[in-house]
Amino acid sequence: MDIRSQVSMVFHLDKCIGCHTCSIACKNIWTDRKGAEYMWWNNVETKPGTGYPTKWEDQEIYKGGWEKNGDSVSLKGAGKLKGLKNIFHNPNMPSLEDYYEPWAYRYTDLFEAPEGDDQPIGRAVSLITGEPIEIQAGPNWDDDLSGTPDYARQDVNFKHLSKAEQESMFQLERMTFHYLPRICNHCLNPACVGSCPSGALYKRGEDGVVLINQERCRAWRMCVTACPYKKSYYNWNTGKSEKCVLCYPRLESGQAPACMHSCVGRIRYLGVMLYDADRIEAVASCDEAELIDRQMEIYLDPFDPAVIKAAKENGISDSTIVAAQNSPVYKFVKKWRIALPLHPEFRTIPNLFYVLPLLPAMASVSEDGVYDSLSENLLSGVEKLRVPIRYLSSLFAAGNDNKIIEVFKRLHAVRVSRRDTTVKDVTETQLNKVMSEANMDIHEANEIFRLTSLATFEERFVVPAAHREEAIEMLENTGDVKGNTGFGFKMKPERGL
Amino acid sequence: MNNKRKIKTNLKTALLWSALFFPTGLLMAQDGAALFKTNCSACHNIGKGRLVGPDLKGVTNKRTEEWLGKFIKASQNFINSGDADAKAIFDEYKVVMPDFNLPDADIKAIIAHIASQSPAEAEQTATVEVVETATSSEPAMPGSEVASKEDIKKGSELFSGKTSFVNGGPSCLSCHNVSNEQVPAGGLLAKDLTSVYSRLGGDAGLQGILKSFPFPAMAHSYKNRPLTDEEVRLVSAFLYDADKSNIYQVSNSGNGIFIYGGGIALVVLLILIALLWYNRKKNNVKYDIYNRQIKSSN
């Protein structure tokens, strides 16, 4: 057992309203620089939709992630031979057209235009060339409510759905959509780290944050191709690749990352998970149907004395173990089993989990076209929900529908129990049936409800102490410099010294 | 000896020299013969007709020693410096004489040797006799014209390096090309030797060069590993044959194979590339969307 700690995240999709405050917070802190304008370390997508960069989920195009190779895994689009083959031109790497050409408006034109018959306009100018451009695409061009054939119907996950299932997602009163906020998953088996020929990418030992060393990066851009989530971006100005740093300077001072801190829907949770690093290869290379179960096994119970002992032997500090015990992520993922990783079939073992969107569950249209919101229908089984199970299983369960149904049963049980508490129109039989199907008691339902809806800031973000003093002690003996720093003189004083 | 000293009197500096160091002058004369053989005899003759360069018989009467010295040391510089006589000679022979960076004393010795071998008009016959006796002292080498087919074949093998030279000299083929079916296409570093036999005036010139290479690059390469007389005979026999049969030879430069083979290989390569990367991403993923935008905006 090789126990390590990992800062993990949970995003509650039922709560996301798609306001993009997270994206803007991240942009203002990290990517509002020349060469980084097109980067969205945090972005919010509409599902169904094509995402950003367009069709990022289609690894036939981008060749990201790992593929099973015997008892192990190998990179789909990077590696020694594959890298050599594409050394001069890598067709799998997203081009600027696959992202979008970033632009700003010429605001001064609005202020400085001479008086005339028409309103002045501020033209869009490219942030790359500085020339006026016709805007063709943006980072969030997908339509809400499944709009045009260009975006929602191009969703990559539809390849697992039959034509009829796809069509039903676009019928009035039956359509469904949800938002999908995405940041770097800080994976346990990161493809970007595996692909880097310069060794510039690394996974931080103390908290598992995946970073790019800007001094070692040699602009190979293999990580851009290899990351199946397309969360490594190339900065054309600095000639280095960049990615989400999980706001590690904020984490080290005990604050939540900016995207999470700013989230108005309070959908984001952050906490420590303890995992067994010895099992990574076995989990990453298991059969697709087992991927989720095996990934859940890799995260260990922070209350188990054997785990605590092994963690301490591995240098994990007591404060981190306590943080792992209070981790909201551990509760959502392991204890309550209502959060799943995005696209586990990429085999990177991502550490960002999503509580599935149950909406719109609360109404359906009957055969004769009546909009039905009676309790019986609302409380009937999860199979009658609007949101198509197959679509979600393609997103969150590598096509394993049962995993989605299990989560939905539990989420549904919480809903029914809350309805029983607030509206009180649920019969005891109904409640018991739902609760027993979900294998849940009322106490657990209340706990889930509390952390979902009423959680405080400290409950949502359990940031472990960074213990920077330990990091410094690894590099130098602090005793050597004690007494050497402090007050100094730029000019020699006339008296003294 | 008498004769030699008589001519020396015509040469002011030499006179001074020999007057002061007579025994040395004698020594020089002996050196002169050896030096002429190693440095000059490949291209020049005294009284036996022109080879690559002019026959040097009587040249000491026509030119001053200073003039000769300049020509020997740096013929091209001298020609370009505007000397009309030098230019006329170069225009006649069209072969660049290599620069001989010899000490002044050696050049004097060579000139003295030429002078000694070029008697005044009256005594010409006697000198020719002397020269003939000198040459006849060496064993006569059979001419290339009478070489057997086997000799030619052996010569071609020596030329191409199939059999090595006894003293370990490099094969001719590494620097020279000969258009002949018996040897593969050779190097392009030095002159094409297909017609070298007639160019250098037959056996005399060719074998002279092969015995002691006058060209700096070759002199260096064969410094301690000269060709044996038999090898010289065989190689020159081959070169004679190559020259003679040149008009029957089909060019074996291989240009055709390169051009047509290269063209076919290119087509094969392009097909291979097209097949291998058939599925690669050719347009950006929003290509269709952009196309639709353009259509609707029209």
Side-chain angles (χ1 to χ4, degrees), chain A residues 54 61 97-99 136 150, chain B residues 281 284-286 292-293:
Chain A
T54 307
I61 299 176
E97 291 79 33
D98 300 332
Y99 297 103
Q136 283 189 304
D150 286 334
Chain B
K281 176 165 155 276
N284 73 67
V285 288
K286 288 191 271 245
R292 236 174 61 91
Q293 287 178 350

Side-chain angles (χ1 to χ4, degrees), chain B residues 109-125:
Chain B
I110 291 167
I111 292 169
H113 173 73
I114 296 169
S116 74
Q117 300 293 311
S118 319
E121 244 12 74
E123 297 166 43
Q124 197 175 345
T125 8

Side-chain angles (χ1 to χ4, degrees), chain A residues 95-133:
Chain A
S95 61
L96 192 72
E97 291 79 33
D98 300 332
Y99 297 103
Y100 73 113
E101 186 163 358
W103 74 89
Y105 294 97
R106 229 185 243 160
Y107 294 106
T108 49
D109 287 3
L110 299 176
F111 304 122
E112 291 166 7
E115 194 179 342
D117 295 334
D118 286 327
Q119 292 285 339
I121 53 157
R123 281 205 70 179
V125 287
S126 164
L127 286 174
I128 291 173
T129 61
E131 301 293 321
I133 55 166

Side-chain angles (χ1 to χ4, degrees), chain A residues 9 78 166 220 282 437 448:
Chain A
M9 295 81 60
Q166 288 181 32
W220 289 103
E437 271 182 10
I448 294 173

Side-chain angles (χ1 to χ4, degrees), chain A residues 41-72:
Chain A
W41 293 358
N42 179 107
N43 72 316
V44 183
E45 293 170 6
T46 305
K47 284 284 164 191
T50 51
Y52 180 77
T54 307
K55 297 183 185 171
W56 62 270
E57 293 155 292
D58 191 345
Q59 303 312 338
E60 293 310 308
I61 299 176
Y62 293 116
K63 307 274 185 218
W66 304 89
E67 53 193 0
K68 195 166 154 60
N69 184 2
D71 285 341
S72 189

